[in-house]
Amino acid sequence: VPRVGPSPARPQVKPRGPAPPGADSRGRGRDSAPGLLALSAAVVLALGAALLNVRIPVLLGQLVNVVARGAQSRLAGYLRPPACFPQGLLTFGYIALLSRVGEQVAASMRKALFISLLRQDVAFYDANRTGQLVNRLTADVQEFKSSFKLIISQGLRSSTQAAGCILSLYLLSPKLTGLLLLVMPTLVGAGALVGSFLRSLSRRAQEQVAKATGVADEVLGNVRTVRAFAMEDQQAGLYCAEAEHSSQLSQRLGLGIAAFQGLSNLALNGIVLGTIFVGGSLMAGNELSPGDLMSFLVASQTVQRSMANISILFGQVVRGLSAGARVLEFMTLEPKVPLRGGASIPSHSLLGHVAFHRVSFSYPTRPGHPVLRDFSLSLPPGKTVAIVGPSGGGKSTVAALLERFYEPTQGSITLDGHDIASLDPSWLRGQVIGFISQDPVLFGTTIMENIRFGKPGASDEEVYAAARLANADGFIRSFPEGYGTVVGERGAALSGGQRQRIAIARALLKDPAVLVLDEATSALDAESERVVQAALERAARGRTVLVIAHRLSTVRGAHLIVRGREQRTGPALRRGALQGPSPRPSSPTRGPLGPSSRPPAPG
Ligand code: ADP
């Protein structure tokens, strides 16, 4: 990989405007007009179908009257197929349109949520479990979509039918209608009360499903650790307990729904019987024809069904709205550190001088627990600086702050004198800093694509060159499929050393000016460590390198070694807690630490 040597020229900062909106958001803008059109058409069709439904009880009553009078000849007139044909057509039309719009809405919600999740701060991921996030992406969007479709199809139909049929009822018999309207509100009120109880139960059941999913996600994702500790039974027990709790809640919900449905059916049948009883006496007094009674019965059934539908729908609407709100919450969440926007330094004038100025930091999830206090350190361009110290001392935190995964609570970090807070984070991460950790994650695709992750659009030649630099080309070519070898889940098919060298190639592909090696060799056996170490030393040439290690033996090649002390009280990495020399006198910058000799090589 060709490395442009640092130029002594004063770096010019190239300002970058905020990133243009993503292709997706533009796509959504384009889609929304036909979507709205289809939605309006669906609403009109659903309304038409509902209005035709309102006519059915009246038509039925007329039919009964015709049959009662024995006028068979006129029957054919009522049974003409065109009478039911439009209703079927309208129903087809609105359901087809609605599912189209619903799927489009769900897809664009999923896309927008996923894009928003990917933009969130690393701290957001400290506070939210992956399982719950995935749940929002799947279950919540699904719930919202179902409610959305139901509200328009069922909701619109039910309320139109209810209103239309009540009107029909009134026209048929004001007396009977009056009686019905006395009974109905009481029943609907009781139903709504039970409904609200069921809704809260449903919410709890849903939350429990998400919790169980979270446990499954974590255990399956870390199956090697579980296996290594022979914790299968214990973990299975953990999941089973959550699943059992979830099942209990859902069963209770099912029981509630069953009781609700049973009781409402009882009430509805009671109303039918009552109508026949009162209607019968009205018929005896010649106030009502048999056909009218038939119409009245069917229409009142339609009203009841519609009302029941509406009350069930009400629960669905609340569930759908709360699911939608959960999706929207993360869709509109603005990260503290945006992915893009800010200045960048042209590559020909980038020196790669990194400095921490009196940085204090505590993790947002643990605000009262300072990890760094007044930490200052200078990484001279092209030099290797190592931070060595016991684990938990805050070394990885230094690297995370440099990557701008978090913002310092106090102090600042500069690159060539520019506060990294003013620089474009995606430029900083994508082009300036190469990060290699102890346990690199490879994606379940080919080795070629895994390395190309470091620089999308890199040519095959560039990938080979990076792999050669990382001592990886040889073993990759020894595989039957070469660079086309698909890496198993989490890279399980490769040895630790091989994975690490692929990760190094991936980091080197972007030709970073600053390389961060966070315990890059500490998970390896001696032989792999030797090979990887050689690759790293080669990779370090001409770059500013920050090595993080807990053993001095792994940082022998460093120009400067900073040692953190044991963490007993308060943060280990802070001013005064560091031992070690400042950069060699030839270095262009001077750290905050007093000059002293190069530390002795550990023996
Ligand atoms: P080291 O790299 O020296 O082992 P770290 O920087 O990983 O140390 O951790 C320093 C301290 O910060 C530890 O007490 C650790 O528990 C805490 N810590 C690390 N990462 C997080 C995090 N994401 N959220 C909250 N605390 C964290």
Side-chain angles (χ1 to χ4, degrees), residues 126 363 365-366 369 371 389-398 406 518-519 548 567:
D126 291 342
Y363 281 94
T365 44
R366 294 167 77 192
H369 187 270
V371 177
S391 76
K395 305 183 299 295
S396 301
T397 305
V398 172
Y406 304 92
D518 189 355
E519 305 273 11
I548 289 167
Q567 185 169 22

Side-chain angles (χ1 to χ4, degrees), residues 124-145:
F124 171 85
Y125 285 91
D126 291 342
N128 292 287
R129 291 166 70 105
T130 328
Q132 280 165 353
L133 298 180
V134 170
N135 225 26
R136 291 203 190 202
L137 209 53
T138 52
D140 282 345
V141 172
Q142 183 74 20
E143 183 83 52
F144 180 77
K145 181 188 74 184

Side-chain angles (χ1 to χ4, degrees), residues 31-45 97 100-101 104:
D31 287 351
S32 65
L36 226 72
L37 206 70
L39 184 63
S40 317
V43 167
V44 170
L45 293 185
L97 280 174
R100 196 186 121 113
V101 180
Q104 282 171 349

Side-chain angles (χ1 to χ4, degrees), residues 38 44 64 107 113 137 164 179 182 188 220 241 265 293 327 349 366 390 428 445 447 477 486 499 554 572:
V44 170
V64 167
L113 176 60
L137 209 53
L179 270 176
L182 273 182
V188 171
L220 294 180
N265 280 359
L293 183 58
V327 173
S349 52
R366 294 167 77 192
L428 190 73
T445 172
I447 291 179
R477 287 190 192 277
V486 173
R499 269 173 27 185
T554 49

